[in-house]
Amino acid sequence: MSNEKKTLLVVKDLKQHFPIKTGGLLNKKIGAIRAVDGISFEVKEGETLGIVGESGCGKSTTVRSIAQLYRPTSGDVIFEGLNLCEAKEKELVLARRNIQMIFQDPYASLDPRMTVRSIISEPLVVFNKRGLLDKKLTKLEIEEEVERLMERVGLNKAFKNRYPHEFSGGQRQRIGIARALALNPRIILADEPVSALDVSIQAQILNLLNELQKELNLTYIFIAHDLAVIQHISTRVAVMYLGKIVELADSADLYDNPAHPYTQALLSAAPIPDPEIERKRQRIILTGDVPSPDKIQPGCYFQARCPKRMPWCTCHVPPTFDLGNNHKVACWLYDEKDYSKISKEEAQADADKNKTEVK
Amino acid sequence: MKEDIKNKENAATNEFDQVVVGNSLTKDAWKRLRKNKMAVVGMVIVILYALISAFAPLLPLHDYDEIILDHQNLGPSFNKTAGELMMENKKKELYFKAWKDGSLVLTEEQSALIVSWIDESKTNSVWNLCLEEGEKQLAAGTFTWSSSDQKTLDKLQKKIDEDIFVDITKIYQGDTNLKKLDSDSLAKVYATMIGLDDTTLILEQTYKEMDAFVFNTIEMDADVKKNLSDEEKATIIDKEIEKLGDAYFEEKLAENLYGKINAQVLRDVTKILENESEEGTISFPYKDTIEVDGLTITVSSSLVNQRHYLLGTDYSGRDLLSRIIYGGQISIMIGIIGTLFSVFIGIVLGALAGYLGGKVDYIIMRIVDVMYGLPYMLIVIICMAIFGRSILNLFIALGIVSWLTIARMVRGQIMSLKNSEYVEAARSMGAKTWRIIFKHMIPNSLSIIIVYSTLRIPSFIMQESFLSFLGLGVQAPMASWGSLISNGVASMTIYPWRLIFPSIAMTLFLFAMNFFGDGLRDAFDPQSKNQL
Ligand SMILES: Nc1ncnc2c1ncn2[C@@H]1O[C@H](COP(=O)(O)OP(=O)(O)OP(=O)(O)O)[C@@H](O)[C@H]1O
Ligand code: SF4
Ligand SMILES: [Mg+2]
């Protein structure tokens, strides 16, 4: 279905490592947090890519790197043919017009010292001042645009002289959405836009985002850790674990046939509205801790908690296997070869052999 | 916008169609501040102090640096004049002397009491008792002054009645103000005044004085200076005068001559007024112009002993009320300027450290740490000792040691704001660094800076007072609360008002400022308990 559509954004082997430093004058680098560790995906025009994963797995870092709030350590982010990671300041600013963000915390993402009007008009004012808009806007035109945006996201335009603290969380998130829409972007990176809100208001905001998408042909990258929310809004879903994408599939496909053991565990933990099924089903309980993201693992990053771990997994990093139907998964269970019979020693010997070959 | 509010259709309404009036954070803060009674009282007091200090020259005060030796250490009084107080003091002294001679006879108990008070050095009680008893006995006729004492008292009374204080405000020759004349014309005026035909003598004398003045200002080793020969002296002086420039020299010369004329005029006018007052032809306070030696002089004059000192006087007979007000001016100024100075340094360095991070941050913050470790007052005292005692040095010394806290605070604030989502939002829409700093970071840190500054002012005043108390602060004849208090402490048992009034003035201000600052802090904190 999405095959006919144009590819808007390509992320290739994106890495974002935050150096751990000693601090002090010498400030030696003693390691790195591998917050995002080599992820690749494509986003097609008009679709919604959901990203799920537990806290700290690098979801926010991914979108911030795409938006170039952090300069990625390596890898490419290609938006409409322009590689943002190598783009010059000017090109980047122009591209920013098309890539806007909605933030998780509606309380922290709005400057408490600014009126709603100045918050929503800020992107316009910034671009207007730099002369990057198609034509220079007058104050009045900006004013009108602000009013139009406020009405579009369901805010009373009479509130434009108010300060953010006078609004409820849902209203604030609407302000944030209006700000993101101001420059008429092509793609919106939404970093958990609803997780700070009440459930009833979550639905309102999700519906608003849906409407806007249809109306303005927007593309979303949508982060959430609530699987129900992701299912509701996304066309495709990427599951992240420890800075890597472990499974990427169309939304319906992922929910029906989760392939990766991590995804299976996540889905088994999500409540099901039908009490009959809810009672009968088996939960997969994950044990163990998430390993620290500052170490390079020799094998599968999920092995410490994986219920289906094989000896082979402890020393071989799984590549991405295509299951057909756009379903990709990074797990040795899906290779053609059956690894379950291979003993620990054999696996280790194979890994050592590979290492020396590389050397 | 304004039209919206006027136009009800466009006004903000809630779901019940009620118009909702918006409010800004500042307005909100103001509302919260108003609810805090103590803070409001504090604010009113602070404003009052500020007004009094600012408009001190317009108030009917005696000059704060006018020394009247007859008025030393007069007590505070609402209704008694300085003369009456002088008389009272004299009588206390004389009655006490009379008691010691035995001419004033007191009861056994009273005498015993006096002896014990003397042992405890309760001077005031002794005097008051002697005065009280003496007056009683004088009225009853059981005590009379000895003739010498009576003479002293009469003389004092005469002095009190007749002493006049003359203030020359302006001297005119025809239509020209003497202040505007050049040295030659002034010399001529002076010559005619003292009955000389030509000005050579006067100019010679003045030049000599000028030479001495210039020589005094030259900075040089004292021993070397003393042992210079006359010729050497002359060449050094000439050189210095050349360096100072003709205009400056002329100005000083004119000043010198004007001073001479002024002194002469003062003498003449005082004589005239004294005569007239003896004849009873003028009444005081007197304000008029008088013609002397062809000059028109604007004079104001009063009977100096008719003055009222509400808060008493100090050891040189200066009005304490006026000194407290002018001292407050200086103390408050030190508080404000010192705060501005330290806040400025603190903001610049703190913002640099916070925004740039990395090595700059590390170096600045280590300097701060080291300076925190050093004994703060010691640095100030050393600075004052090295650079000399002047108000400017005081500001600088206090400023360089007191930017530390604000720098840390601003750094923390900027660092946390740097990672805040709204700054990220601004960056993601392509805002430039300066826009982020000026539109987002500074407005968001301003309230804590303002609050901190208001809390900082009292601590500066305290520090200045402490330094003045140690004798390192402002110098007489200037006053500050600290120097007044330190002067007062020296004689606090005998002249307690000299300690009490400045202390009250200062304490009240510090209290008010602290309450006001606390109120501001709560008001600017939207999460404070004092919610609307
Ligand atoms: N600026 C930074 N400097 C150093 N480490 C960082 C930085 N930002 C994130 N990290 C680390 O990178 C990892 C991923 O963080 P990230 O915020 O992307 O997680 P997340 O998936 O968004 O989690 P959550 O669901 O809680 O928002 C975490 O271990 C975090 O500590
Ligand atoms: S590769 Fe092995 S350890 Fe990793 S998820 Fe698959 S089965 Fe589990
Ligand atoms: Mg996050």
Side-chain angles (χ1 to χ4, degrees), chain B residues 33-52:
Chain B
L33 183 69
R34 265 194 328 211
K35 276 184 74 185
N36 184 342
K37 291 269 150 39
M38 289 310 284
V40 173
V41 171
M43 187 178 72
V44 170
I45 294 178
V46 168
I47 291 174
L48 220 65
Y49 268 82
L51 286 179
I52 291 177

Side-chain angles (χ1 to χ4, degrees), chain B residues 52 62 73 128 296 304 326 501 517:
Chain B
I52 291 177
H62 303 304
N73 299 322
N128 287 339
T296 316
V304 68
Y326 279 92
F501 292 120

Side-chain angles (χ1 to χ4, degrees), chain A residues 24-25 64 69-70 96 100 103-105 108-114 117 122-123 125-127 129-130 143 156-163 165-166 179, chain B residues 1 4 10-13 20-26 28 358-359 362-363 420-422 424-432 435 439-440 443-444 447 524:
Chain A
L25 253 190
R64 282 178 159 79
L69 284 179
Y70 308 137
R96 286 210 147 117
Q100 288 288 303
F103 292 88
Q104 168 174 7
D105 184 350
S109 60
L110 306 177
D111 186 338
R113 294 266 148 198
M114 283 179 138
R117 179 216 280 116
E122 193 176 13
V125 172
V126 167
F127 270 71
K129 274 214 182 114
R130 292 184 141 193
E143 194 71 27
N156 186 339
K157 68 178 177 193
F159 285 120
K160 64 184 172 185
N161 289 316
R162 300 297 179 83
Y163 287 82
H165 70 119
E166 298 173 67
R179 171 175 63 186
Chain B
M1 284 193 186
D4 288 354
N10 266 338
T13 50
V20 196
V21 184
N23 61 337
S24 70
L25 275 188
T26 339
D28 224 32
K359 287 213 168 89
Y362 184 80
I363 292 170
S420 72
E421 287 197 343
Y422 58 84
E424 275 188 348
R427 284 208 288 143
S428 78
M429 66 185 72
K432 287 185 179 157
R435 185 187 168 86
K439 287 268 166 171
H440 295 285
N444 275 292
S447 62
F524 271 112

